[in-house]
Amino acid sequence: MKENLQRLRKAAPNLKATDMPGTPFERDKNGPRVESETELIQTYLVPLAEGMPGAFGLRDDAAVIPHAPGIDLVFSSDPIIAGVHFFPDDRPADIARKALACNVSDMAAKGAEPLAYLLTLALPEAPERAWIADFAKGLRAAQTEFGCKLIGGDTDRTPGPLSIGITIIGSVPSGAFVPRHGSKAGDHVFITGTIGDAALGLALRREPSLFKDRLSESDREFLLDRYLRPRPRSALAAAVRTHARAALDISDGLVKDLTRLAGPLGLALKFDVIPLSSSVRAALAADPKVQDAILAGGGDYELLIAVSPEKAEKFLASAAKTGIAVRDVGVLDAGTHVAVLDSRGNRIEPRHPGYDHFLR
Amino acid sequence: MKENLQRLRKAAPNLKATDMPGTPFERDKNGPRVESETELIQTYLVPLAEGMPGAFGLRDDAAVIPHAPGIDLVFSSDPIIAGVHFFPDDRPADIARKALACNVSDMAAKGAEPLAYLLTLALPEAPERAWIADFAKGLRAAQTEFGCKLIGGDTDRTPGPLSIGITIIGSVPSGAFVPRHGSKAGDHVFITGTIGDAALGLALRREPSLFKDRLSESDREFLLDRYLRPRPRSALAAAVRTHARAALDISDGLVKDLTRLAGPLGLALKFDVIPLSSSVRAALAADPKVQDAILAGGGDYELLIAVSPEKAEKFLASAAKTGIAVRDVGVLDAGTHVAVLDSRGNRIEPRHPGYDHFLR
């Protein structure tokens, strides 16, 4: 179960938090609306279930996945809520992508291939046809990219904000599930991609003028894109299940999730070895507080992977074939905690320990 | 996919709808609160996953269900939202029961045995310890009664109302899934239990003085209990998968769901043959409008089951062993619609066609 931090609010904790009230359906208040639940499901959702016999064209109350020899099924359930995980006026296609991506990312970390998903849509009012059409289009593009299909779910009207709940079902060869825990002293820790982009992207989404003089237009677009249109590391799933001892995706901040991966072990993480994009480097040069967003931010959908020393080389070779960058950031030791060290070897104390919804 | 009507608001459409704002956590504002997400999960939720190896003690981002020969897995996902499906100040144990029951009911209708579930909790604030303890207690009692365990999920804080999302995973012998569609002319239609109780229970929950002079205290308690503490017909799952051609649970109103079961076929339903509790009969005698709650109300968690004439007797014998009352309410014919007839054979036009969230 994921302690799913209000990760976007937290992502850049040094930046001003803004409330994000309102409805997603404010672009064209007089535009045509969906006229019934039947229209909503038949017109926009049923096409997403095509080719999935166990979905029964979304005409049933439940879906079925037939037994397949040699396969274990893997499950994860992560909702996203307007004002918590996305902005109500984000592009509908991007909202749909994010809803699926955060679940697909969990599958990648477990070495699982996405197979199908259930969707629960809680809408504050009848959506504009243009809105739901773009949402469905984004969901179709995402499910095609991630290799899964809609098999069921539910639609509701809610007095609260737009919420999109997805439960994803993935598959692994029997016994190949990669747990979060179980890494051992001596294991190498790998990080995919780059860290901190989405946290800065969120900051820019809130305050477009941020780092106005320090980041180029293309930097800004890159960071915003990383925040708005996550790319879970699905292509790495096979390498993870073949070679990793333990893995998880980074959702509650690098240090907090590294601490989870390390479990009872320790890791000395040099700040300089954390993979950063040139855009984040530019921002960091302008404002040292960006360090917090790197250490405690989320939303990049990158993976933390522990691999035994014997398998490290093979893992790197497998990863190289996917085109996803992975960086060896250190070796787990018999210590008891994760320490972040600056270039002089002094310990950096993250000012934010990582997020917890209900921490008092 | 279920067109999951705002079923409780709709249940008694002739009764005044009330808004149900506010927070569930208003009983003892100064009572101790949960202090962290870790406490919430470790103290209250982890015990619900005991004995389920694939849940990893809720310490992972995903859960696994190993391959089992001869078994198909069945999925359904139904959230409940405060102010839509329950009252914020309902007893926490009852809210938990309802969240699981509405999903278990879908399993029963498909002939499936509940196996496991994922839980996504979106809480408007840190809950009182007393509240979450009672919620977890109710969930434990419900999962024990229904025969399933928690395997994963997610916790979030939300700017909206308390929402509880459950995705249930059930199992059937390979190929035994019972669809909603596929009944044939000549099939007998069976209804379990009694109809309309929950709709009146909801009305009483809103206006305790309703039918003050016509219903006894025990009638009122029975109806309220039917609304607040649903009993899905799990015990009937084996009889359903063995003998039924098609089935669904009644969620959007008797007539609407009968129409779904009938598909392109017809059914002449005599109002007098609809199974009613003595409490509903008493209310109906006091106010003919109760008829609407019977024909269009939901929340009873009863099943509609189509059985071929050859299997009808065996189905009845199997059902009898469970102690759940089932009533043969008619035979599907080559007609094209479901007609409700009064005792003189005249057609009753339901004033409410059944609910649709977005019908304009």
Side-chain angles (χ1 to χ4, degrees), chain B residues 91-104:
Chain B
R91 280 187 50 210
D94 290 344
I95 297 170
R97 180 188 181 86
K98 188 170 279 184
L100 193 54
C102 65
N103 287 282
V104 166

Side-chain angles (χ1 to χ4, degrees), chain A residues 1 4 37 60 154 180 356, chain B residues 1 4 37 60 154 356:
Chain A
M1 180 165 259
N4 183 23
E37 217 163 350
D60 215 302
D154 177 68
R180 181 197 275 195
D356 186 304
Chain B
M1 180 167 257
N4 183 23
E37 219 163 347
D60 215 302
D154 178 68
D356 185 305

Side-chain angles (χ1 to χ4, degrees), chain A residues 44 46 134-135 167 178 199 203 232 239-240 257-258 287 309 337 345:
Chain A
Y44 301 102
V46 165
D134 193 50
F135 180 88
T167 298
V178 179
V240 167
D257 283 319
L258 260 177
D287 183 352
H337 61 277

